[in-house]
Each structure stands twice: as C-alpha cells, then as structure tokens.
Amino acid sequence: MSKHCEEIQILHEEQLAKGVGFLRKTRIRFHLLMCKCCRDYTSCSEKIDRVLSGQEKNETSKCTEEEKGKMKAGLIQD
Amino acid sequence: MEKSNAAILEEWVDAYSDYLLNFALSKIKDRDLALDFLQDTYVSALKNLHTFQGKSSPKTWLVSILNRKIIDHWRQQQSRKTKPISHYGSDEDGSQDWLLETGEKHENDGESALIFDEEQMLLEDCMAKLPEQWQGIMRAKYFENKKGEEISKEFDITASNLWVIVHRAKTTLRECLGTKWF
C-alpha cells in the first residue's frame, strides 16, 4: 500500500467519525475513483462500523421499569 | 457510608440496562432471552464485583461479561447441533438423556428465536486479538460511543494518532476476518 493510500484511508476514518472539510472530502472522493485498493478498504471499514455499532439490524429498545425491577429482585435473591 | 454491592448493582441496572439490552439484541433476536442474559450478567457482576478494579468503565465491564455469556451460549448451541446422536446415548445409566432433550428444544428455539449474528461474533473474536490499547480505543469508540476528543484524552494520544490507530486496527481486523466476511 502506498503512503498516499494510507493517508487517504486515515482521512476516511476521520471523515466517518466526525466529518472533514470540503477539500479533504473531494480529495478522498477523487482518490477513491482511481484506487480500487482504497475503495475496498472503505467499504470494509464502513461495514465494520455498522456491525460494531450494532446498526445492521438492531433497533433501539428500552427496558421497562418492571423488567429492571425483576433484575434488581434477582440480585437480592442471589 | 459505603454502598453495598447490591446497591451498586441496582444503580447499574438503572444506568446500563437499556444499553446492554440493545447490545444483546444486536446479537440475539429474542427479547426474553436477551433479558435473561442481562439478569445473568448482573448476577455474575455482583458475585465478581471484588475483581472489578475500575480500570474500565462499569459499562465496558458489563458488556464484556454479557458478550462472553452470549458467545458461550452460542458455542454451546453449535456444539449440540454438531454432536452425533450416538453421543447422547453413550452413557449406560442414561444420565445424559436430558442433553438430547434440551439440545433439541434449544435447536428449535434457536432457529426461530436465537439468530446469532455470526459476523459480529467473528469480529469480536478478531477484536480480542488486537493490541490492548487498540482494543480499548475501539471499544470506547463503538461500545461506549465516545467522541474522538474524549478517546484521545483518555488514552493520552493526539487526535491524528487516534485515526492512525483506528485505521491500523481496522486493517488488522480486515486481515483477521479474511474471506469469512468479504
């Protein structure tokens, strides 16, 4: 992997996490157009993000007070 | 006055149950089963609270307990599925017959209710192979939803170094996952 590719991939990580400015974004896009290696990396990186964040199929759920109460009661029994 | 262990755990039940439930539901589909895992997690945490040194946040610690329980459960399911039927009849007094019964029951439940996210498990296994600092950073980023600045401060690294580490961690994860995923 070239130094330039590494730099773009690191920039991509920064972009995923907090966004980057217009110029950097354009630089990433332009590089991705030409570089399959970096395209593969970014798609993999985004997939890892989705799976680690549990966004693939997870919906937000909340424990009810009753469920929490049962868990607390279980603690006292033990 | 110091809080009792049970009082500490009760506070954790209030503070972390929603997060832990969502974490469990990202791996298994059955809400009741996920709640059972949560209950087990809190009971284990209560029993082992003396081993918790506070180096990580309670949430991270609870997530690691919960995750281990889910992985153990899933592996148990897998091994039951792959054992030959003769395995269960091998004991003379039939004392292991219950294994067949529960194995079948869980296997049926498994198809309808327990759909374990294999991708996530593979990823977790690969995460465990990362250097300790990288693991901490990835967990802070994804499981604790911390922002870049917070993570940099916590691990005493510069912001640019953080993205280098995330990049290297993901490259290592990608190599570890190899063709299993992509």
Side-chain angles (χ1 to χ4, degrees):
Chain A
M1 182 172 57
S2 75
K3 236 183 155 127
H4 189 48
C5 285
E6 191 179 3
E7 198 188 328
I8 291 293
Q9 291 173 13
I10 291 166
L11 256 184
H12 172 76
E13 290 309 328
E14 195 176 340
Q15 184 191 18
L16 276 183
K18 57 171 196 173
V20 292
F22 175 75
L23 280 178
R24 288 173 140 195
K25 211 182 274 181
T26 312
R27 199 173 143 210
I28 296 170
R29 279 189 191 161
F30 189 67
H31 180 92
L32 291 181
L33 276 177
M34 301 179 301
C35 178
K36 187 178 181 309
C37 165
C38 286
R39 277 202 303 274
D40 289 347
Y41 172 84
T42 54
S43 75
C44 166
S45 163
E46 284 162 21
K47 174 147 187 166
I48 289 174
D49 266 21
R50 283 196 303 275
V51 175
L52 279 179
S53 321
Q55 287 171 3
E56 288 270 91
K57 353 184 154 124
N58 201 17
E59 288 163 16
T60 309
S61 275
K62 288 198 168 194
C63 276
T64 63
E65 287 307 314
E66 195 191 340
E67 287 164 347
K68 285 182 187 174
K70 274 185 192 167
M71 282 188 248
K72 288 178 189 173
L75 288 172
I76 296 164
Q77 280 169 14
D78 279 280
Chain B
M1 201 174 76
E2 264 189 41
K3 281 181 200 164
S4 71
N5 287 352
I8 294 171
L9 260 295
E10 283 186 11
E11 277 181 19
W12 289 0
V13 169
D14 284 327
Y16 306 123
S17 291
D18 290 344
Y19 181 86
L20 294 176
L21 178 65
N22 280 292
F23 180 84
L25 285 172
S26 72
K27 299 182 175 234
I28 50 176
K29 288 287 142 194
D30 186 297
R31 186 186 166 90
D32 290 337
L33 193 59
L35 286 167
D36 285 347
F37 280 123
L38 252 70
Q39 175 77 73
D40 284 354
T41 299
Y42 288 126
V43 170
S44 293
L46 180 62
K47 282 179 185 158
N48 297 295
L49 197 58
H50 62 282
T51 65
F52 177 61
Q53 296 173 328
K55 284 181 184 169
S56 59
S57 70
K59 189 160 83 171
T60 309
W61 188 55
L62 291 169
V63 166
S64 67
I65 298 172
L66 174 62
N67 194 40
R68 187 45 52 197
K69 285 189 180 297
I70 295 172
I71 289 173
D72 286 348
H73 180 80
W74 185 79
R75 287 195 174 136
Q76 224 173 351
Q77 298 290 313
Q78 289 300 100
S79 72
R80 281 178 187 167
K81 273 185 190 178
T82 50
K83 276 174 189 167
I85 199 85
S86 57
H87 168 87
Y88 298 107
S90 59
D91 61 324
E92 284 176 12
D93 61 359
S95 59
Q96 289 183 1
D97 284 351
W98 62 276
L99 280 174
L100 177 60
E101 195 178 29
T102 45
E104 280 179 350
K105 183 179 180 295
H106 281 270
E107 208 171 293
N108 291 335
D109 285 351
E111 287 194 316
S112 59
L114 177 76
I115 304 165
F116 192 87
D117 190 342
E118 203 173 340
E119 284 181 340
Q120 211 156 7
M121 199 193 79
L122 285 170
L123 193 52
E124 287 284 327
D125 282 349
C126 288
M127 281 265 283
K129 291 175 191 159
L130 293 176
E132 208 171 315
Q133 190 202 30
W134 295 10
Q135 268 187 57
I137 288 171
M138 297 296 271
R139 289 191 186 279
K141 185 174 188 300
Y142 294 102
F143 298 153
E144 296 170 36
N145 292 321
K146 287 188 178 167
K147 301 245 180 262
E149 297 81 35
E150 264 182 286
I151 303 172
S152 305
K153 220 182 233 178
E154 192 180 323
F155 288 87
D156 196 24
I157 51 174
T158 62
S160 55
N161 202 9
L162 170 65
W163 306 122
V164 172
I165 291 174
V166 170
H167 168 251
R168 290 190 183 153
K170 282 190 177 175
T171 307
T172 310
L173 287 176
R174 194 178 166 207
E175 281 163 11
C176 171
L177 292 164
T179 52
K180 292 173 200 161
W181 250 37
F182 306 103

